[in-house]
Amino acid sequence: TGDAPRAFALKLARVTQSSECGYKAVTYDPQAEVRHEVQAGSQKKLKGVLAKHVDDIKMTAGRAEVERIKKHLTKEFGQLDYKEANFTCTGVRHTHKANGDVILDQDEYVASLKPIVHTELVGRPAEEEATTAVHAAYMSLLGALAFALLTQQWVAVYTVALQRKAKQSRNIDVRRLNAVVRALQKDPQKLVYQAFRCKKTLVMHSDSAFTREQDSGYGIRGSNLLRMGVKANGETIYHLLDGVSRSHKLVCRGVFAS
């Protein structure tokens, strides 16, 4: 039933957040959990981090901590399908290199996306509203493209722009969506997290852009959140933690007059 995934997620949370496992959900995402251990002097040491999606769990921790959690989960749910170093979770392939680098990609998923080909789109005027059938295909492909943002942040701004036409797309919007998908399939990117020693420093890049649209205006904002660290050779590098691209809810009218 439709409630089955939620019911399982609640049961899983009762196990991972029990006194035996000791994990707690973070405020940013209730499906992400951490466990700290109090050291001498009341200092807390991070022992493990796990992320859940229904019955899929991705975890990073020391070997002893991983084995401890596996034991509790096996006791509650039975034999686990366990993989480490190289695996695919929620459509994202993880590759752990011998030098400590971790590479994330969605190559197979991106390759499976199918641009919209429909008889009701052929030869139709660009500014004409898409037919019901074409718009349905537009929404389906747009949702699939949005899922690729887990690793393909470089198309986020295009995806957000196309989402503005979610209520009613035009033929030109459908063709633009096809163009973005084909560009993505031609050059899918990989997220490479190089091994480093964390400097416990977060860096954020953010910006906004505005455009005037006849009698109205539109603003879009974006940001990248990164973690700073140092490689073994002393080089400073960054890990991408999150990327956001969204519309501005409120924009000062004077922005569009300048």
Side-chain angles (χ1 to χ4, degrees):
T1 65
D3 291 334
R6 181 175 181 275
F8 185 88
L10 292 173
K11 182 179 180 180
L12 179 58
R14 285 196 295 269
V15 175
T16 58
Q17 297 177 24
S18 65
S19 58
E20 291 83 4
C21 289
Y23 279 74
K24 294 182 178 180
V26 300
T27 55
Y28 180 77
D29 185 346
Q31 298 306 312
E33 299 177 359
V34 297
R35 187 175 86 84
H36 291 87
E37 193 173 83
V38 179
Q39 305 290 309
S42 299
Q43 294 292 325
K44 290 185 177 181
K45 182 178 180 180
L46 182 64
K47 300 296 291 184
V49 180
L50 59 85
K52 304 176 297 181
H53 178 71
V54 190
D55 59 350
D56 290 325
I57 301 177
K58 184 168 63 174
M59 181 177 185
T60 179
R63 174 62 61 186
E65 179 69 5
V66 171
E67 294 300 327
R68 188 181 74 86
I69 296 303
K70 282 174 57 181
K71 181 179 179 180
H72 285 295
L73 292 175
T74 300
K75 179 181 178 180
E76 184 69 30
F77 299 104
Q79 186 63 37
L80 307 177
D81 181 12
Y82 174 78
K83 297 175 183 174
E84 63 178 63
N86 301 296
F87 59 91
T88 298
C89 182
T90 61
V92 180
R93 181 167 55 188
H94 300 63
T95 304
H96 195 171
K97 310 294 287 186
N99 64 356
D101 293 355
V102 176
I103 302 174
L104 306 184
D105 74 74
Q106 290 176 281
D107 291 357
E108 291 186 9
Y109 176 79
V110 169
S112 70
L113 298 179
K114 298 184 182 300
I116 299 169
V117 179
H118 201 286
T119 55
E120 296 178 5
L121 184 62
V122 178
R124 304 305 304 171
E127 297 299 324
E128 181 182 78
E129 290 188 352
T131 64
T132 301
V134 172
H135 181 67
Y138 176 86
M139 292 301 298
S140 177
L141 183 58
L142 183 58
L145 176 63
F147 185 73
L149 298 184
L150 287 173
T151 59
Q152 308 298 309
Q153 282 294 326
W154 65 282
V155 297
V157 66
Y158 307 111
T159 305
V160 172
L162 292 167
Q163 286 174 336
R164 296 183 62 204
K165 305 299 180 181
K167 186 174 182 179
Q168 178 57 62
S169 60
R170 302 164 300 170
N171 293 326
I172 186 62
D173 301 317
V174 179
R175 290 163 186 156
R176 286 170 176 165
L177 175 58
N178 282 344
V180 173
V181 170
R182 291 188 176 107
L184 179 60
Q185 292 176 325
K186 184 178 180 180
D187 189 26
Q189 301 297 304
K190 291 178 171 59
L191 277 179
V192 180
Y193 291 90
Q194 300 181 67
F196 72 6
R197 177 175 56 82
C198 181
K199 295 187 67 175
K200 298 182 179 180
T201 301
L202 296 178
V203 178
M204 175 178 283
H205 304 151
S206 63
D207 199 4
S208 295
F210 308 91
T211 181
R212 183 168 183 170
E213 300 178 349
Q214 295 180 352
D215 296 329
S216 64
Y218 179 66
I220 193 169
R221 56 197 165 101
S223 64
N224 293 319
L225 182 64
L226 307 103
R227 182 176 65 157
M228 181 188 296
V230 179
K231 295 174 62 176
N233 62 5
E235 179 187 358
T236 298
I237 60 173
Y238 302 86
H239 283 175
L240 176 66
L241 299 181
D242 199 4
V244 178
S245 182
R246 295 176 181 169
S247 300
H248 273 293
K249 299 300 182 183
L250 298 173
V251 179
C252 177
R253 185 182 181 92
V255 171
F256 302 100
S258 60

